[in-house]
Amino acid sequence: MIETKEINIDGVLQAAQKQSIDKSAPTFVSVTEKIDKMNAIDFFQSGKVLGKNRIYWSSSDQQTIFAGIGDAVILADSNASYNTIKNKWKKWMQNSKIVNPYDNTRSGPIAFGGFPFDSEEPAEELWRGFDGSQFRVPTFLLTIDHSDVYLTTTVLVEEESHVDQLAAELITEKHQLLHVTHAEFQDNQIVLKHEVDPEAWKTLVERATEKIAANQVDKIVLARELQVEFDQPCDVGQVLSQLQQTQQHSYVFAWEKDGVCFVGATPERLVKVNDQKVFSACIAGTAPRGKTVEQDYEFGQQLLCDQKNREEHQFVVDMIKQAVHSLAKSVHIPDEPVLYPLKNLQHLYTPVEAELEEGYTLLDAVEKLHPTPALCGFPRETALDFIRHFEKLERGWYGAPIGWFDQHFNGEFAVAIRSALINEEKASLFAGCGVVKDSDPEIEYQETAIKFTPMLHALGELK
């Protein structure tokens, strides 16, 4: 049983309603309590009982984990404007009542969501419902920060709200969520796989290399889709459990809307901001892991010395360096990359540290950095134009910024790769690779096949 250090929610809501009346506007109410230890995936699974949208986020070191249930506040913009999301959040914070005695934690009101890869791409059949930029503040947010566990309850209180009834509903739902002893999972099993026109994709790679050979662009990132079907509706909690166990050093995320869930385990941080300190990462260049220590070392050294991969990585470093310098000071970027090992793959990695100039926020940094050459190409606009005209995949949120921010715009965004869009008995997996002048279509095809592996295993493919 989970015991909370109770805060009088009814009293908080009564005070919030008075504020709403005084200001003639709804009040954003957020109440944080410290609770006993609870498993975040169990909490995520318990949200199925309430039939509400869910979110999940685990940092790459697994020291910060969020699980959210319900939609207390939604921030959305069909035009995918970063500035609109920022201004909407500021407006809510200006008319808020936040009860959180734990200032030095990641508890409190937090918005989760993402931006599309390409703001000009319409959300059609595959990504219907994920149009534009969308963020939500969960009604109930479980925060695990190292060994501390918190529950934040968020709700809007209006002038005419029935606060006694609202308080009773929140207490009942909270009790349901916190008193799940251990969540039940079903075993997911893939029964059908279908690659979406791989030969046409290889032909597209050839077309991209021709454009690069003509000196019209240096690099173009092309992505493709793998469709799978299950023998029954996919259990997202089971997928998260598998990813959390197997994809260490990756950000594990899930963002569910009306029964459709975007889920993944990405190694790639886009940007993190904490008290104006900026942390980003350049990740580009890929090799498999070896079956032995010796083979693994050999693959890693080949990657470090491979001209094609080093060139691809340098595009990312140069672009991120330029973007960070435009809004930050004290920028530090090492001269040489190192290896970043994951369970199935290893990458070239260069960390970036800086300090935001006054007036800039995390969302400004996200806007400057996305899309990086690792997910789009270089130069950005030329590569993006090629993708818009010739790539058949509807990218949606794949390869786009996904993450969170708090009331002060501290937070973190990752690049949503190694991911899948799950819709009941079906899922679409996405993988991409950087095409440069020396790219071979078959080798690039095999690289994307390797990149599908983590999600395939997590979704239930036989090992």
Side-chain angles (χ1 to χ4, degrees):
M1 179 181 291
I2 304 294
E3 296 295 335
T4 66
K5 296 183 177 179
E6 292 287 351
I7 292 175
N8 181 6
I9 186 70
D10 188 70
V12 175
L13 296 183
Q14 295 283 358
Q17 186 171 47
K18 184 179 184 304
Q19 181 173 313
S20 297
I21 293 170
D22 292 342
K23 295 189 175 184
S24 299
T27 300
F28 177 103
V29 180
S30 175
V31 177
T32 299
E33 305 162 277
K34 197 168 188 178
I35 67 172
D36 292 341
K37 184 177 180 181
M38 185 174 188
N39 181 279
I41 296 179
D42 286 349
F43 184 83
F44 179 91
Q45 283 293 87
S46 69
K48 292 173 68 175
V49 176
L50 300 181
K52 297 188 177 184
N53 291 327
R54 300 174 292 175
I55 64 94
Y56 185 89
W57 173 276
S58 174
S59 61
S60 58
D61 60 7
Q62 298 190 15
Q63 295 301 304
T64 301
I65 302 176
F66 300 109
I69 309 297
D71 304 348
V73 174
I74 295 174
L75 309 170
D77 182 63
S78 59
N79 295 320
S81 167
Y82 295 80
N83 203 47
T84 298
I85 297 296
K86 180 172 67 174
N87 290 336
K88 286 184 176 182
W89 186 238
K90 286 181 177 179
K91 186 176 180 180
W92 279 120
M93 292 302 98
Q94 288 167 0
N95 194 27
S96 62
K97 188 168 186 61
I98 298 171
V99 180
N100 181 13
Y102 312 103
D103 292 334
N104 295 324
T105 73
R106 300 190 189 282
S107 59
I110 292 177
F112 296 85
F115 297 93
F117 174 80
D118 180 3
S119 61
E120 295 185 15
E121 178 188 60
E124 297 179 338
E125 185 176 354
L126 181 60
W127 288 93
R128 185 171 290 122
F130 284 74
D131 51 304
S133 307
Q134 298 187 43
F135 289 80
R136 75 166 67 109
V137 182
T139 307
F140 300 100
L141 175 65
L142 183 79
T143 298
I144 300 176
D145 188 20
H146 293 80
S147 59
D148 294 325
V149 185
Y150 305 87
L151 181 73
T152 298
T153 303
T154 301
V155 68
L156 289 184
V157 175
E158 303 185 59
E159 298 173 66
E160 66 276 11
S161 292
H162 300 287
V163 293
D164 291 340
Q165 180 182 341
L166 183 57
E169 291 173 355
L170 291 172
I171 291 169
T172 298
E173 290 179 345
K174 182 173 75 170
H175 185 272
Q176 285 180 278
L177 293 171
L178 294 183
H179 290 76
V180 173
T181 54
H182 185 68
E184 296 292 328
F185 297 113
Q186 72 179 38
D187 289 330
N188 298 317
Q189 182 59 58
I190 293 173
V191 294
L192 179 67
K193 290 194 297 182
H194 169 67
E195 294 188 65
V196 178
D197 211 341
E199 294 307 316
W201 188 83
K202 293 176 190 177
T203 300
L204 184 59
V205 173
E206 291 181 354
R207 186 168 191 166
T209 58
E210 291 169 0
K211 192 172 183 68
I212 295 167
N215 295 318
Q216 297 176 353
V217 64
D218 295 313
K219 173 186 174 183
I220 301 171
V221 178
L222 297 176
R224 67 187 185 97
E225 178 185 359
L226 172 65
Q227 299 171 345
V228 301
E229 293 186 16
F230 306 94
D231 56 353
Q232 57 186 326
C234 181
D235 187 337
V236 178
Q238 173 72 352
V239 176
L240 289 174
S241 180
Q242 291 294 319
L243 291 174
Q244 200 73 82
Q245 292 174 36
T246 60
Q247 298 304 312
Q248 296 179 0
H249 311 300
S250 290
Y251 298 89
V252 176
F253 65 86
W255 204 87
E256 182 181 55
K257 183 177 182 182
D258 301 332
V260 180
C261 193
F262 184 43
V263 60
T266 172
E268 189 165 342
R269 169 192 282 166
L270 182 64
V271 62
K272 174 182 178 180
V273 171
N274 186 35
D275 292 333
Q276 294 298 98
K277 293 181 175 59
V278 182
F279 305 90
S280 187
C282 311
I283 297 182
T286 305
R289 299 298 304 272
K291 295 182 179 180
T292 65
V293 173
E294 293 77 15
Q295 187 185 50
D296 196 54
Y297 176 81
E298 181 180 349
F299 286 164
Q301 292 306 303
Q302 289 175 354
L303 179 60
L304 283 169
C305 298
D306 182 76
Q307 182 178 352
K308 183 258 184 187
N309 280 287
R310 288 295 293 265
E311 183 179 276
E312 184 180 342
H313 186 80
Q314 194 60 43
F315 286 141
V316 179
V317 173
D318 292 344
M319 177 269 172
I320 289 182
K321 181 187 295 185
Q322 180 180 3
V324 171
H325 270 292
S326 70
L327 47 73
K329 56 188 176 183
S330 305
V331 180
H332 176 70
I333 303 176
D335 294 331
E336 297 288 330
V338 296
L339 293 173
Y340 191 83
L342 302 169
K343 180 178 176 62
N344 309 98
L345 303 166
Q346 50 190 325
H347 301 286
L348 295 177
Y349 168 80
T350 299
V352 179
E353 295 184 15
E355 183 177 347
L356 277 183
E357 296 277 9
E358 187 176 349
Y360 289 110
T361 72
L362 169 64
L363 295 189
D364 296 306
V366 172
E367 182 176 21
K368 282 284 187 182
L369 291 167
H370 175 73
T372 71
L375 271 299
C376 176
F378 186 84
R380 177 191 285 179
E381 290 306 321
T382 309
L384 189 55
D385 183 69
F386 184 92
I387 292 168
R388 284 171 177 160
H389 283 89
F390 300 111
E391 188 177 81
K392 301 302 181 184
L393 172 67
E394 183 188 346
R395 288 205 183 187
W397 284 22
Y398 165 70
I402 190 166
W404 61 273
F405 52 87
D406 69 9
Q407 66 194 92
H408 305 296
F409 289 106
N410 295 314
E412 186 165 23
F413 280 78
V415 181
I417 56 175
R418 314 293 151 78
S419 53
L421 187 66
I422 300 172
N423 188 352
E424 300 292 340
E425 295 93 352
K426 297 180 180 181
S428 290
L429 287 71
F430 312 101
C433 63
V435 178
V436 293
K437 61 184 179 182
D438 297 326
S439 290
D440 178 276
E442 186 61 36
I443 293 175
E444 302 299 349
Y445 169 78
Q446 293 300 331
E447 180 178 320
T448 55
I450 293 171
K451 289 176 177 177
F452 284 130
T453 304
M455 280 306 305
L456 278 173
H457 283 178
L459 288 170
E461 185 180 54
L462 289 175
K463 312 298 188 289

